[in-house]
Every structure is written in C-alpha cells, then in structure tokens.
Amino acid sequence: GIIKHSACSFELQFALERQKTAEKERLFLVYAKQWWREYLQIRPSHNTRLVKIFAQDENGVNRPVCSYVRPLRAGRLLDTPRQAARFVSVLGYERAPVIGGGAGKQEQWCTLLAFLCSNKGDCEDHANLLCSLLLGFGLEAFVCVGTKAKGVPHAWVMTYGIDGAVTFWESLTGQRYIHNPVKPDDPPAVEQPKALYPYRTIGCVFNHQKFLANCQPSEAVEVCVFDLHDESKWKPMSGEAIKSVCSPSATTALPPFPPLCASAIDAATTSNELELQLRVLVAEHRKDLGFATVWDDQLSYLLSPALAAYELERTTGISSGNEEFQDAIRRAVPDGHTFKGFPIHFVYRNARRAFATCLRSPFCEEIVCCKGDQVRLAVRVRVFVYPEFACAVWIMFACKYRSIL
C-alpha cells in the first residue's frame, strides 16, 4: 500500500503543479492582452507592427518569446562574443516549413535543444541562440523582430553598450553593424549616416527579462532611437509578469538549456578526405573534357595560410598574413607563368555538392577547366570546427600555367 500511496501523492503533486502553471499562463495572457490594448491606444497603426509576444515551438506549444532566450555560457568551447557569432552563423539556415496554403511566413520557433539537434533552423532560432550566448558573455543583448528588404519578416540581435552605443549582429552571417540613427529634423546640409545594415523596420526587442515594443512615430530602423529606458519611445512589459512565466524557476519555463557539446568532427581528417574527393572529381571532370590533370602538391600546401586568414577575418573582422601568402605564391610561380586562385566557403561537408556549386562560378570553372602549356592544378581544403556539428569549410582551387603572349 505504501508504493501506491506515494504514486498517488506524486500524481496529486503533479496535478497541483500543472494547475499552478496553467493559472500563471492564464494571468500572463490576460496581462498581455491588456498591455496590447494600451499599445494600440498610443497609435492605431501599431497593429501592423511586428510585435511578437508569443511564438509556437516545435511541439505546437505557444510560449512567450522571452522564454526562448536565457544567458548561455559556452564553457571553454567559445572564447569571444565574435567567435560565438561565427559559430551561430555556420549552423545551417532553413526556413520553417509552411503547412497548408497562405502566403504568410509560417511561424514556428525551435527550442534550443531542437535547434542544436537538427543543426539547422530559421533566422529566429539563430537570433535566439546568439542572443543567449552574448548574454552569457556579459553583454546586454536583445533579439530584434522586424523586417528586411521587401518587407520580409526577420529577426536579428542587438547589443546595447554601457555608453548607449548600439550594435546589430546578423546571426545568419556573423556580421556586425554600428547603428547611428538618422535625424529627420536636421537641416538638409547636415550629412546623415548611411545605413549599411539590411534591416528596414523594427517592431519589438526582447531578452530573457525584458520585452519592449517600438512606439516611435516611425518603425523604420534608420531613424529609430534605442533609448530603451524612454517609455515614450519603447513600451515595456512588466518585468514581474515576464518573470512569472519565463524565469528558470517558473514552472511554465522551457526545460533548462542543454550545455553546448564539443565538436565530434576531426578537422584534419575531414579536411584530407574532402581534399582527396575533390581531386578525384576534378580529374574526372577534366578527363571528360579530354584534359590531363597534373597536381602540384607544394602549390596546394601554399594555399593554407589564405584559408586560415579568410576564417580569421570572418570571425574577427581583421585580415592578416596576406603579405607572406602573396610572397610565397610569387616565388612558386615562375616568370612568364600565370596564377589563378578561387576561394569559396561552405557550411556542409559534401564534396560532390560543393564541387557542383563551385563549377557554377565562371572563375572556378576557368581554373578547373584550365588548358594550356605546363598547366599545374592545386586544391586545398580547410575545415574549421565549432561546437556541436557546426563547421566552416573553406576550399581553394588554383592553377598555374605558362602564359602564351
């Protein structure tokens, strides 16, 4: 009878928890509706702004957007915020599948676990993960919801500097943009900053503790002032209300975020395998065209520094080591010979698919199909691994041949 009794009390406990959770969710929904009514009273046109309070997860559960973000520390797997941005950008991009008709964007967000397990996701999933990692690195980060060109809905990340400086982070590319708002009231003679970012409008920003809707007269990003403490520009939701359903202790919250896993991919082995497969593909392709193929191993090796420099530049924005690379190539290419190189970057490890994509570029096709006197070909692959199964794959094809004047 004891076992039965404890099972019974467990059931009861569980039912009470569920009831408490449902009540908290109900109260939050009541609050959110009231908050939305107030937001519309400021300006009726607000109803067209992208103010997203709830999002459906992969199980069809509607959750407050704030619950998709929380500070995430990467342990020793990522060292800097910019490296975190690079990692998120090499996770695969895939639009959420649209079920049934309707031209609207299908709204399905992924919980972090689902996103990392499938190794690919939509822009919101990338933005939520990047925001979580930047919060983990001690930055004040928010996910921004708005549109890019042609009114396409989009999500990206913003960090708010202690001095009020605003930086946008594009989670699909890892690029960063400084935001300097245009001041429409300035006289025409005053030169205005030119927006380099792809974002057009912004409806709201949120993180694990805050949710703010844009209530400035214009929703255009370029004129937007990110003074988040000014309630005449940004309408906040109650932090207490958010905490009741989104804090890790809230029973309604998502399960705790899984820690990131170290990469299981061996970078050197994978690089070698891809390189050998590409050599076979190039030789077959040339054979079909009636050309012989002679590989230059030394020239192939000399391409390594360039690939390392490209990845470093993508991560840090700093380019270095180009002088040595140029010098080595000049020495390897004798007088009267021509050198051509073509670098390209992928986030998958499929040689055949990569080669087919490369051949669509006229520059690459010119190198792979090079004919002439003393033609030597080179290819170098460098796989850079990141946590989980994310990786950046750089490939460089090159050739040298005797120039016929």
Side-chain angles (χ1 to χ4, degrees):
I2 293 168
I3 294 167
K4 198 172 175 187
H5 173 72
S6 64
C8 225
S9 65
F10 179 73
E11 282 288 314
L12 186 66
Q13 182 66 30
F14 199 64
L16 283 170
E17 287 286 319
R18 253 201 317 246
Q19 206 177 338
K20 253 186 356 203
T21 301
E23 181 59 10
K24 279 184 179 171
E25 285 173 348
R26 191 188 67 78
L27 288 172
F28 182 77
L29 186 60
V30 169
Y31 168 76
K33 283 180 175 166
Q34 174 59 30
W35 180 92
W36 176 249
R37 276 196 297 273
E38 290 168 10
Y39 181 61
L40 292 187
Q41 276 161 11
I42 300 170
R43 217 177 269 111
S45 63
H46 282 175
N47 69 351
T48 61
R49 294 194 179 182
L50 286 177
V51 176
K52 193 156 182 56
I53 304 169
F54 294 93
Q56 216 175 63
D57 70 11
E58 67 277 2
N59 300 315
V61 179
N62 254 328
R63 300 185 175 278
V65 290
C66 296
S67 66
Y68 287 87
V69 170
R70 75 178 64 151
L72 179 63
R73 297 209 316 220
R76 299 194 181 277
L77 301 179
L78 297 166
D79 294 316
T80 67
R82 294 187 192 191
Q83 201 184 5
R86 179 66 179 146
F87 155 58
V88 174
S89 76
V90 297
L91 285 166
Y93 169 62
E94 180 181 75
R95 299 221 16 205
V98 174
I99 300 146
K105 187 178 188 302
Q106 175 64 19
E107 279 295 354
Q108 184 198 304
W109 291 20
C110 281
T111 58
L112 184 65
L113 183 62
F115 179 32
L116 293 176
C117 286
S118 58
N119 205 38
K120 55 182 187 280
D122 213 331
C123 61
E124 294 87 358
D125 306 320
H126 285 80
N128 288 334
L129 174 55
L130 178 56
C131 184
S132 297
L133 287 164
L134 297 183
L135 287 166
F137 274 115
L139 300 177
E140 174 138 38
F142 294 87
V143 174
C144 303
V145 179
T147 62
K148 48 186 186 178
K150 299 192 175 103
V152 176
H154 192 58
W156 66 97
V157 177
M158 161 189 118
T159 48
Y160 193 66
I162 214 152
D163 54 356
V166 169
T167 306
F168 294 145
W169 303 63
E170 176 46 62
S171 63
L172 297 178
T173 63
Q175 275 178 295
R176 297 159 58 258
Y177 307 94
I178 305 296
H179 170 69
N180 293 309
V182 169
K183 299 185 181 71
D185 302 333
D186 278 356
V190 177
E191 199 178 332
Q192 295 290 353
K194 179 90 183 79
L196 299 170
Y197 44 78
Y199 319 119
R200 294 288 179 269
T201 70
I202 183 159
C204 63
V205 303
F206 68 87
N207 60 21
H208 61 307
Q209 293 171 329
K210 295 177 181 165
F211 183 98
L212 300 130
N214 181 3
C215 49
Q216 293 164 66
S218 166
E219 59 178 340
V221 180
E222 59 174 15
V223 298
C224 190
V225 176
F226 286 90
D227 181 354
L228 301 180
H229 304 292
D230 182 343
E231 295 196 10
S232 71
K233 293 188 171 70
W234 293 93
K235 179 171 171 59
M237 261 195 172
S238 140
E240 283 303 308
I242 292 168
K243 202 170 158 184
S244 72
V245 285
C246 295
S247 73
S249 59
T251 45
T252 64
L254 285 164
F257 278 12
L260 294 181
C261 298
S263 178
I265 300 163
D266 183 309
T269 310
T270 311
S271 301
N272 279 334
E273 284 170 359
L274 285 173
E275 203 170 288
L276 290 171
Q277 289 165 6
L278 285 171
R279 281 194 175 203
V280 170
L281 291 167
V282 169
E284 279 176 2
H285 187 76
R286 288 177 62 84
K287 193 178 165 192
D288 291 345
L289 297 170
F291 304 149
T293 304
V294 185
W295 293 102
D296 185 328
D297 289 342
Q298 174 62 6
L299 187 60
S300 297
Y301 180 70
L302 296 185
L303 303 175
S304 301
L307 300 183
Y310 296 142
E311 183 61 20
L312 185 71
E313 189 172 0
R314 284 285 173 104
T315 307
T316 62
I318 300 161
S319 59
S320 69
N322 195 33
E323 307 81 6
E324 294 90 344
F325 170 65
Q326 298 282 353
D327 192 76
I329 295 297
R330 284 209 184 96
R331 287 172 185 281
V333 178
D335 274 355
H337 283 63
T338 300
F339 169 85
K340 285 179 181 169
F342 174 79
I344 191 165
H345 161 260
F346 298 99
V347 296
Y348 53 80
R349 309 186 302 279
N350 178 329
R352 202 169 279 280
R353 186 177 156 198
F355 186 58
T357 304
C358 290
L359 284 180
R360 288 206 287 275
S361 156
F363 298 107
C364 185
E365 207 237 4
E366 200 177 276
I367 291 169
V368 169
C369 306
C370 179
K371 62 178 198 283
D373 189 16
Q374 295 173 31
V375 174
R376 298 288 178 271
L377 289 160
V379 64
R380 189 69 170 167
V381 176
R382 174 72 164 90
V383 175
F384 295 88
V385 298
Y386 285 92
E388 301 292 328
F389 285 94
C391 61
V393 178
W394 284 96
I395 301 171
M396 193 161 184
F397 292 100
C399 65
K400 65 176 183 178
Y401 55 91
R402 196 163 153 215
S403 322
I404 308 293
L405 295 171

